[in-house]
Amino acid sequence: MRLFSDESEFAVDMSNMKLTHVPKDLPPKTKILDISQNSISELHISDLSYLSGLKVLRLSHNKIWYLDFSIFKFNQDLEYLDLSYNQLQNISCHLITSLKHLDLSFNDFDVLPICKEFGNLTQLHFLGLSATKLRQLDLLPIAHLHLNYILLDLEGYYAKETESLQILNTKTLHLVFHPDQLFSVQVNISVNSLGCLQLTNIILNNDNCEVLTKFLSGLTRGPTLLNFTLKHMKTTWKCLVRIFQFLWPKPIEYLSIYNLTIVGSIDEEDFHYSETALKALKIEHVKNEVFIFSQTVLYTVFSEMNIMMLTISDTPFIHMLCPPPSNAFKFLNFTQNGFTDSVFQNCSQLVRLETLILRKNKLKSLHKVGLMTKHMTSLEILDVSGNSLEYDRDDGDCTWVGSIVVLNLSSNILADSVFRCLPPKVKVLDLHDNRIRSIPKPIMKLEALQELNVASNSLAHLPDCGTFSSLSVLIIDSNSISNPSGDFFQSCQKIKSIRAGNNPFQCTCELREFVQSLGQVSSEVVEGWPDSYKCDYPENYKGTPLKDFHVSQLSCNTTLLLVTVGVTVLGLTVIVTALCIYFDLPWYLRMMCQWTQTRRRARNIPLEELQRTLQFHAFISYSEHDSAWVKNELVPWLEKEDIRICLHERNFVPGKSIVENIINCIEKSYKSIFVLSPNFVQSEWCHYELYFAHHSLFHEGSNNLILILLEPIPQNCIPSKYHKLRALMTQRTYLEWPKEKNKHGLFWANIRAAFNMKFLTVQGVSTTNPDIVQGSTI
């Protein structure tokens, strides 16, 4: 079961499902039911009684042989009933008055199945019937009805005598005859106000051609018959010309022949082109079973017709003659023939021609197509699509009639050079499905061009409207456009409609401006937006609609990006510099550099070897402001105790840097004495000396510091960068110089103990192997 429409219960399609009966489980709200092309042979009232809202019922191509219309008494809304192509022989006449379309054609009725109840079908528009014989008053019950269409199936008609049938009122009468028998129906059919007549399955030869013309005599008598159509017609050329001659003086304005087969021979026939009401002749799908004939005979009949519109399509015709000067052709359609570039060359008689269609022929030269139009001074519409047209510049400049405003050159093999061979005043130009790669800039000005279709080519860019100043409609989908220009809409301000989807858009920075410009244009202008506008590259964006592709201006503007990065880096540099200055980072870096170099030198030197290089017992570090105490008190006492000391003013080597001298003195001294005071704290060089001495330069685990507190130092007076001094003041024992003289002896005793004199002589220098005195602050 196939369900359709917005609400699935409204339409049910169960066609071609090998059903033998109407299903019982149909949705009760079904309004459209299709159970055609099955094997249903009977209908019962219970099959459809619960479908009270049913409006359309298709039962064609089944095996129903009897129908009682009373089964539809619960389907009072039924409007469309198709029972064609069944095996019906009888019906009952309990009809539903709501019917608008009733098709009983292609059944097995002996006579037309019309009863008096048919007269109640006042809403009926279409009626399909079938019969094997006709009676004049068969349709009398519906004489008062005004039908739009009557389909009469006469495939089984076999009457041997001339019969009559009066069809009082219908606009269109369609008669279907046997498809494999010579036309032999002899019925006088009269119809009031007939507007369209269609005959299907007509087989004629030279002998029975008159049977058809006689049959048509009564039908074509009325002045209202304007359209006459013949379908599936097989005839000789002689009979076809006779039918044309018969219809020429009739009031028919439009004559159409579909699926025409010509048999026998094609010889010259007399044809008198008298005054005619015929405006248009259309012949489509012609099969010619005559292989040897004079083409001039064939083409002359059509080229000399004094009508305005002629269509001959899908035929084996390879040429058409230039008509006489008196021709009235305004419309010529020769689609899908075998015409070549020679058609209508040097033909100056088609001065009234307004529309010429040569689609799907064998034209090859665009230059010759232009020459063909030279004398067609009224030509406005030219369609030469579906050929093999090319333009070679070696052919010379193109010549076109200046009146062409619509030109269809689609589905050819034209390249970029086509833009040098176009009518100057063309307004609508169709070039889709060609081999165009670009639109050359130095081309002729097409200032009148309003619509341009270049879809399905290989264009890489949108066109510049400088050449097409009046362009309002552009179709350029399915090309190779990857990065369209963002200023297209600025240069093409008259654009009212553009279709540029299904292109391989590269979603990169270059596309950003185009996407923004699309967003600023009305959705009515950009056709197919946003569904057919999708990214093709890069891979992570593939399939993403352009409307969802976003990239920041910063990442796309190199100058802005560089400025932003530069400002950011500059700002960070300023901040880092300020922080470095605030936290004395340069000082720490210098310290770390010197310390690292010293550690590298001392890393692999054993303690015994280091001791052999010692020259001093102690290195004294102090502030210059405390030099009086050092020189008057500390140095004399130490030298009196045979302790060899190192002082900067007498032991620093000239020419070396201060840092290098400090390190050398510390390395060559067994201990380092630091005289601490507020003055010491303010001296950067003193802190250098303390830093290097504390970092165990000679060996891990060595203890070589002696701290003397000359004056008390408040904790808040020690700068934050001297965190080593803070730590030493907190963690290590230091000797405090007493202000009272009676305590000086104890202070010197502690100094002596700190050295723990046990001398060794190395390179002429007395050294000690000290034990570090630990204890509380003195």
Side-chain angles (χ1 to χ4, degrees), residues 622-623 625-626 674-683 708-714 725:
Y622 60 93
S623 171
H625 296 286
D626 301 324
F674 290 89
V675 180
L676 305 180
S677 69
N679 297 321
F680 183 95
V681 170
Q682 301 302 319
S683 173
I708 298 175
L709 184 61
L710 183 62
E711 297 178 9
I713 305 174
L725 179 59

Side-chain angles (χ1 to χ4, degrees), residues 527-540:
E527 293 188 29
W529 177 265
D531 296 337
S532 59
Y533 294 77
K534 297 181 179 179
C535 299
D536 186 69
Y537 178 86
E539 197 66 28
N540 58 320

Side-chain angles (χ1 to χ4, degrees), residues 149-396:
Y149 199 109
I150 290 181
L151 169 61
L152 187 55
D153 162 35
L154 298 177
E155 284 191 3
Y157 183 79
Y158 62 88
K160 296 181 180 180
E161 299 179 355
T162 301
E163 296 180 336
S164 298
L165 179 65
Q166 185 174 8
I167 303 175
L168 298 179
N169 294 296
T170 185
K171 293 180 180 179
T172 301
L173 176 62
H174 184 187
L175 303 175
V176 182
F177 304 101
H178 198 285
D180 300 318
Q181 295 180 3
L182 285 172
F183 183 83
S184 60
V185 176
Q186 301 182 37
V187 180
N188 293 325
I189 300 177
S190 59
V191 185
N192 294 335
S193 64
L194 182 63
C196 300
L197 175 63
Q198 180 173 325
L199 306 183
T200 299
N201 299 332
I202 307 294
I203 301 178
L204 301 170
N205 57 28
N206 293 338
D207 297 327
N208 75 329
C209 191
E210 189 176 347
V211 177
L212 177 63
T213 57
K214 185 177 180 180
F215 175 80
L216 293 174
S217 296
L219 288 170
T220 58
R221 186 180 299 116
T224 58
L225 181 61
L226 302 179
N227 292 274
F228 182 33
T229 301
L230 295 166
K231 285 188 175 182
H232 302 288
M233 183 178 185
K234 187 175 183 179
T235 180
T236 62
W237 172 250
K238 182 177 182 178
C239 184
L240 180 62
V241 174
R242 288 171 63 183
I243 293 172
F244 286 155
Q245 191 70 75
F246 170 78
L247 296 173
W248 217 251
K250 300 296 182 181
I252 297 172
E253 294 184 356
Y254 301 93
L255 173 60
S256 302
I257 304 176
Y258 300 96
N259 296 301
L260 170 65
T261 302
I262 300 175
V263 297
S265 62
I266 298 178
D267 301 312
E268 185 174 356
E269 304 292 338
D270 292 333
F271 192 93
H272 301 288
Y273 299 98
S274 58
E275 291 295 326
T276 180
L278 193 65
K279 295 180 180 178
L281 170 62
K282 179 187 291 186
I283 303 177
E284 293 186 0
H285 314 300
V286 177
K287 181 180 179 182
N288 187 7
E289 295 184 356
V290 182
F291 301 107
I292 301 176
F293 62 94
S294 171
Q295 295 188 21
T296 303
V297 170
L298 180 66
Y299 303 145
T300 299
V301 171
F302 297 107
S303 65
E304 295 184 357
M305 287 182 172
N306 54 337
I307 58 177
M308 291 188 295
M309 293 179 282
L310 175 63
T311 297
I312 301 178
S313 66
D314 192 11
T315 75
F317 290 7
I318 61 174
H319 192 63
M320 182 54 61
L321 298 177
C322 182
S326 59
N327 78 87
F329 289 128
K330 290 186 176 181
F331 178 95
L332 291 177
N333 182 355
F334 298 113
T335 297
Q336 203 168 346
N337 291 289
F339 289 6
T340 63
D341 292 331
S342 62
V343 67
F344 296 139
Q345 290 295 332
N346 301 314
C347 179
S348 58
Q349 280 84 305
L350 292 169
V351 293
R352 297 183 181 88
L353 188 62
E354 297 175 355
T355 301
L356 176 59
I357 301 174
L358 295 172
R359 185 188 307 126
K360 294 184 178 180
N361 279 275
K362 296 182 179 180
L363 305 178
K364 294 184 178 180
S365 173
L366 183 62
H367 181 265
K368 291 184 178 180
V369 171
L371 288 176
M372 176 191 68
T373 68
K374 183 169 61 173
H375 300 293
M376 301 175 183
T377 54
S378 300
L379 187 64
E380 295 183 354
I381 301 173
L382 176 61
D383 185 350
V384 286
S385 60
N387 284 277
S388 301
L389 288 173
E390 294 180 280
Y391 172 60
D392 189 345
R393 296 187 65 180
D394 294 337
D395 293 336

Side-chain angles (χ1 to χ4, degrees), residues 50 84 134 308 318 359 516 584 614 718:
Y50 64 97
S84 61
L134 301 173
M308 291 188 295
I318 61 174
R359 185 188 307 126
Q516 289 179 341
D584 295 298
L614 297 179
I718 303 176

Side-chain angles (χ1 to χ4, degrees), residues 465-478:
C465 287
T467 307
F468 315 121
S469 56
S470 301
L471 191 64
S472 61
V473 176
L474 175 63
I475 302 173
I476 197 169
D477 54 329
S478 301

